[in-house]
Amino acid sequence: MFQEEGLSSVTSSPLQFFSMMSLSVSPSLGSPYQMKCEQRGLVLIHLLLAGANFVATGDLQNANLTLEQISQHASLDGDTMQRIASYFSEALADRILKTWPGIHRALNSSRITMVSDEILVQKLFFELLPFLKFSYILTNQAIVEAMEGEKMVHIVDLYGAGPAQWISLLQVLSARPEGPPHLRITGVHHKKEVLDQMAHKLTEEAEKLDIPFQFNPVLSKLENLDFDKLRVKTGEALAISSILQLHSLLALDEDASRRKSPFLSKNSNAIHLQKGLLMNHNTLGDLLDGYSPSPDSASSSPAASSSALMNSESFLNALWGLSPKVMVVTEQDFNHNCLTMMERLAEALFSYAAYFDCLESTVSRASMDRLKLEKMLFGEEIKNIIACEGCERKERHEKMDRWIQRLDLSGFANVPISYYGMLQGRRFLQTYGCEGYKMREECGRVMICWQERSLFSITAWRPRK
């Protein structure tokens, strides 16, 4: 583990550490160069919340002053809170700019997203953090168990971002006592280059292992998916894998951000936050509790989710109609689909502090790969959560309980992750080299956590008979 100045240890992530400290520090106290790490972190939290309040109320002059103060303390290559503050302040600034669409479009008109960047960021997410590997292990094990004895196997990969998961599965299937099945993998992705790379590497690996194999590329965004293109055939045993995809379907509810009066939302946020800042809170946890949603309240109210439920339900109903033997779903276990920006910001501060602290515990601050991952993946997600509304807001992460409700209503029954699958997951985390990662199991459903905070859930399902 890297040990650098101000580095948070496995036993004290930034927000956990700050929550034990007094919040008597004034945001304007001292020079950023004279502050200790924990004091600076508290100042940044105060400034971010105050700045968000100004943005929510349209007080642009004070928002500008606060963002300027944040820039004096924040740093893209600093400690966890300095890095987080950089991306949250950028998100708040972007939200302000969106009130002038012409200026916003002009500033972003030359921005080009390269396919190579998309492939790179997924590679870095896979390599620098254990989450995808952990999900692949449990997903593949559930598929192997469901496909025991099957001779024709078809896997629909709604993630379709790379071959690593399926190369591992091919190797497992090649060792089956009864011999490997005929395997067909359908990859769904919106970039042809990604699917082409996936097809090439999987075909190459299948030939090496002498496994009869076909790859079916489906060039599509998830919300526009034509299910006929999945080419599910009678006589095949079907498995579906969805990794970090289903939450984007909730953006189809264009009215989600308009179900509350914009006037009421804006003013209730401002009053609520201002009240919280004026109160004599003792800890960071107390401060954020003033406007952080409860674990079950973020998106479970009928007004917040009824239309989104219908849209996601249609998609899940279509998956149910394919009659898979197993469907394994991995999702972020967060409350980022709240109606108001202030609620989302408060929840996202905790969530992304955990992500950044994971990197802080194992990757040097000077690492360019770490900087790329934080900027190109986490920074863009934060911006989408804070700055965007309506259909433009895709990062609508919700807690596992909400997905359980949706899948149950769509006719799916939960399949407990097997003892052997959980054993494999635990062994992987034990050998990963960082004791901050933990696995939690609830009724056969698995969560991977940083310290005590759940970050991802993994659940398996089959159509209810």
Side-chain angles (χ1 to χ4, degrees):
M1 183 183 300
F2 291 93
Q3 296 292 333
E4 303 181 44
E5 186 275 323
L7 185 67
S8 47
S9 71
V10 188
T11 57
S12 58
S13 68
L15 290 179
Q16 288 175 321
F17 186 67
F18 297 156
S19 68
M20 297 184 288
M21 298 185 60
S22 168
L23 284 183
S24 58
V25 176
S26 165
S28 60
L29 179 65
S31 161
Y33 303 104
Q34 298 171 337
M35 288 184 185
K36 293 182 180 179
C37 172
E38 58 269 19
Q39 184 186 29
R40 183 175 57 230
L42 288 171
V43 169
L44 285 169
I45 289 290
H46 274 294
L47 289 171
L48 282 170
L49 295 173
N53 180 38
F54 294 133
V55 172
T57 56
D59 186 346
L60 299 186
Q61 183 175 355
N62 279 314
N64 177 60
L65 290 172
T66 307
L67 289 173
E68 187 176 355
Q69 282 185 287
I70 292 171
S71 70
Q72 294 171 10
H73 298 275
S75 170
L76 289 175
D77 59 359
D79 61 38
T80 294
M81 285 312 306
Q82 287 181 296
R83 289 170 182 252
I84 288 173
S86 297
Y87 295 112
F88 274 87
S89 61
E90 182 182 350
L92 289 171
D94 197 61
R95 187 177 178 94
I96 293 171
L97 283 175
K98 281 178 179 288
T99 61
W100 291 283
I103 294 174
H104 187 268
R105 277 195 292 270
L107 287 172
N108 290 276
S109 61
S110 60
R111 185 179 178 184
I112 300 173
T113 302
M114 305 292 291
V115 178
S116 57
D117 289 342
E118 191 168 334
I119 293 172
L120 173 63
V121 76
Q122 289 300 322
K123 179 175 179 286
L124 293 175
F125 187 44
F126 176 79
E127 291 177 348
L128 298 183
L129 293 165
F131 308 123
L132 285 181
K133 296 185 188 79
F134 184 86
S135 175
Y136 292 172
I137 289 169
L138 269 66
T139 299
N140 285 359
Q141 183 58 33
I143 291 174
V144 167
E145 290 169 3
M147 298 300 156
E148 187 175 353
E150 297 289 351
K151 298 186 183 304
M152 301 281 290
V153 174
H154 182 187
I155 298 171
V156 172
D157 179 9
L158 298 178
Y159 178 58
Q165 177 179 6
W166 307 124
I167 287 176
S168 176
L169 183 69
L170 282 165
Q171 292 166 352
V172 173
L173 291 177
S174 70
R176 283 204 320 184
E178 68 270 33
H182 182 285
L183 179 63
R184 188 153 60 95
I185 293 178
T186 294
V188 180
H189 201 274
H190 62 284
K191 298 289 187 182
K192 183 178 182 297
E193 295 89 338
V194 173
L195 292 171
D196 288 346
Q197 183 186 85
M198 194 171 172
H200 172 72
K201 292 191 175 181
L202 290 179
T203 301
E204 190 176 63
E205 185 68 19
E207 288 174 355
K208 189 191 306 179
L209 297 169
D210 196 24
I211 295 177
F213 176 76
Q214 289 177 293
F215 185 77
N216 175 35
V218 176
L219 186 63
S220 173
K221 292 184 177 180
L222 208 61
E223 60 265 32
N224 300 322
L225 181 60
D226 179 354
F227 278 76
D228 290 338
K229 291 184 178 179
L230 301 180
R231 293 165 49 197
V232 175
K233 300 175 182 177
T234 305
E236 348 177 90
L238 178 67
I240 298 171
S241 171
S242 174
I243 296 179
L244 312 181
Q245 296 302 301
L246 294 182
H247 64 266
S248 65
L249 295 170
L250 304 180
L252 297 175
D253 180 12
E254 295 185 14
D255 296 323
S257 62
R258 301 186 185 93
R259 292 194 179 279
K260 240 182 194 179
S261 162
F263 177 80
L264 288 175
S265 294
K266 183 171 75 172
N267 285 281
S268 63
N269 269 320
I271 293 167
H272 200 30
L273 179 61
Q274 194 171 31
K275 183 179 177 183
L277 288 170
L278 291 173
M279 288 175 65
N280 183 26
H281 291 285
N282 292 320
T283 68
L284 175 64
D286 291 338
L287 182 64
L288 288 180
D289 281 344
Y291 30 81
S292 177
S294 65
D296 299 320
S297 68
S299 56
S300 58
S301 66
S305 62
S306 58
S307 180
L309 178 61
M310 290 299 296
N311 285 302
S312 60
E313 186 179 359
S314 329
F315 191 88
L316 293 174
N317 283 343
L319 294 179
W320 179 89
L322 298 176
S323 300
K325 289 196 73 174
V326 69
M327 178 170 76
V328 189
V329 176
T330 299
E331 278 293 328
Q332 292 94 336
D333 196 37
F334 300 139
N335 285 331
H336 293 163
N337 196 23
C338 319
L339 282 176
T340 66
M341 182 269 286
M342 288 306 311
E343 289 178 304
R344 299 199 301 269
L345 182 137
E347 176 68 22
L349 274 173
F350 275 115
S351 305
Y352 285 91
Y355 278 154
F356 280 63
D357 203 40
C358 290
L359 290 167
E360 182 86 335
S361 68
T362 54
V363 186
S364 167
R365 289 180 187 170
S367 167
M368 284 304 298
D369 284 345
R370 174 181 172 180
L371 181 62
K372 288 175 185 175
L373 177 62
E374 290 173 344
K375 182 174 180 60
M376 296 164 65
L377 182 60
F378 298 144
E380 290 302 308
E381 288 181 357
I382 290 167
K383 191 183 295 183
N384 189 265
I385 292 165
I386 303 304
C388 298
E389 297 293 351
C391 286
E392 192 182 7
R393 182 161 59 87
K394 301 289 188 183
E395 302 301 334
R396 295 171 178 260
H397 314 133
E398 293 194 345
K399 300 292 285 184
M400 180 176 67
D401 288 349
R402 292 293 295 128
W403 290 110
I404 292 172
Q405 291 174 27
R406 288 190 175 92
L407 287 155
D408 182 67
L409 285 171
S410 296
F412 285 94
N414 183 238
V415 179
I417 301 293
S418 71
Y419 172 79
Y420 187 63
M422 288 191 282
L423 183 63
Q424 284 185 303
R426 282 198 184 93
R427 284 176 176 168
F428 167 71
L429 291 182
Q430 286 168 359
T431 59
Y432 187 72
C434 180
E435 62 186 22
Y437 294 107
K438 299 177 182 178
M439 190 186 95
R440 194 163 76 228
E441 183 266 336
E442 291 179 7
C443 303
R445 306 168 191 124
V446 173
M447 284 154 287
I448 181 170
C449 309
W450 173 252
Q451 308 297 351
E452 300 304 321
R453 186 171 186 85
S454 175
L455 301 182
F456 294 90
S457 66
I458 300 157
T459 54
W461 304 85
R462 63 169 169 247
R464 193 183 300 115
K465 295 179 181 178

